[in-house]
């Protein structure tokens, strides 16, 4: 989880409530990614940003999901209203560039449970 | 799009060698990555291949054949701490997006 802080680490909420997940990159990066991981579907890309601009949100499952990146040090993923099927671990990852061995470094994740 | 296949589970013995295979079909390719993920933790980067051949990093090696759409991760001198899921991921031609396989859960037994 080098270079990325996520909060909260665990979130339990009830169906219909709004959920906001936070990501704070603490090291240099050009790209920021939001992933969701479940046993059934594995690790899925939801959306990614380049220099704070959303580039590809084709993985966002529904209009209930939205993501913002107001500056290079902060991003949010919001689910409104939440549903039980949104229960998953949500990871934020950063990448410095697009050349050679530039790879993605993941934050520790937020485990979301929607009852 | 990308389609990536890995075995779901493997079991091996401490001290042995294990090979985890990954096959892929892609519309664009700009490198293949292996990540390790311990239960309850985030994926961590292990290796990267973009050209055909073997890349070695200590006990871990990764091989790529682009013509066959095939890669493997080789773990030598297995240790109990190597029990984890191993994720194969292919990067798209633009160099930004990774598509992950479902992961291979490796159990190392004494």
């Amino acid at each position: 989880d080098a270079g990325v802080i996520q909060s909260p680490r665990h979130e339990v909420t009830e169906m219909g409530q709004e959920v906001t997940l936070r990501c704070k990159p603490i090291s240099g990066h050009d790209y920021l990614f939001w992933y969701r991981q479940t046993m059934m579907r594995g690790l899925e890309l939801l959306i990614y940003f380049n220099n704070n601009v959303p580039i590809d949100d084709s993985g966002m499952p529904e209009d209930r999901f939205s993501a913002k990146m107001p500056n290079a040090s902060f991003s949010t993923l919001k689910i409104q209203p939440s549903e039980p099927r949104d229960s998953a671990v949500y990871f934020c990852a950063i990448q410095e560039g697009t050349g050679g061995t530039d790879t993605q470094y993941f934050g520790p994740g937020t485990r979301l449970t929607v009852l | 799009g990308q389609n990536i296949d890995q075995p779901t589970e493997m079991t091996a013995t401490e001290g042995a060698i294990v090979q985890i295979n990954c096959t892929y079909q892609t519309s664009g390719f700009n490198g293949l990555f292996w990540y390790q993920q311990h239960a309850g933790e985030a994926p961590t980067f292990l290796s990267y291949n973009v050209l055909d051949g073997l890349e070695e990093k200590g006990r871990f090696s990764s091989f790529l054949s682009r013509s066959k759409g095939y890669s493997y991760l080789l773990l030598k001198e297995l240790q109990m701490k190597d029990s984890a899921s191993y994720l194969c991921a292919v990067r798209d031609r633009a160099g930004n997006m990774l598509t992950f396989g479902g992961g291979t859960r490796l159990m190392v037994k004494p």
Side-chain angles (χ1 to χ4, degrees), chain B residues 59-72:
Chain B
R59 294 190 298 115
F60 293 6
S61 303
S62 56
F63 171 83
L64 175 67
S65 169
R66 288 171 297 170
S67 63
K68 295 182 180 178
Y70 168 68
S71 173
Y72 68 72

Side-chain angles (χ1 to χ4, degrees), chain A residues 5-45:
Chain A
I5 297 173
Q6 289 189 248
S7 63
R9 295 293 307 274
H10 300 272
E11 176 83 19
V12 179
T13 190
E14 292 189 345
M15 182 173 62
Q17 296 298 304
E18 177 180 297
V19 175
T20 299
L21 311 181
R22 297 173 177 80
C23 175
K24 287 192 63 175
I26 56 176
S27 56
H29 67 282
D30 293 322
Y31 296 88
L32 185 142
F33 304 80
W34 280 101
Y35 288 90
R36 175 173 69 176
Q37 187 173 37
T38 61
M39 289 291 291
M40 291 294 294
R41 300 177 66 90
L43 193 59
E44 304 174 282
L45 177 66

Side-chain angles (χ1 to χ4, degrees), chain A residues 60-77:
Chain A
M60 297 285 262
E62 298 170 30
D63 291 345
R64 298 183 297 107
F65 285 67
S66 62
K68 294 181 179 179
M69 191 165 184
N71 58 64
S73 301
F74 187 64
S75 178
T76 60
L77 178 69

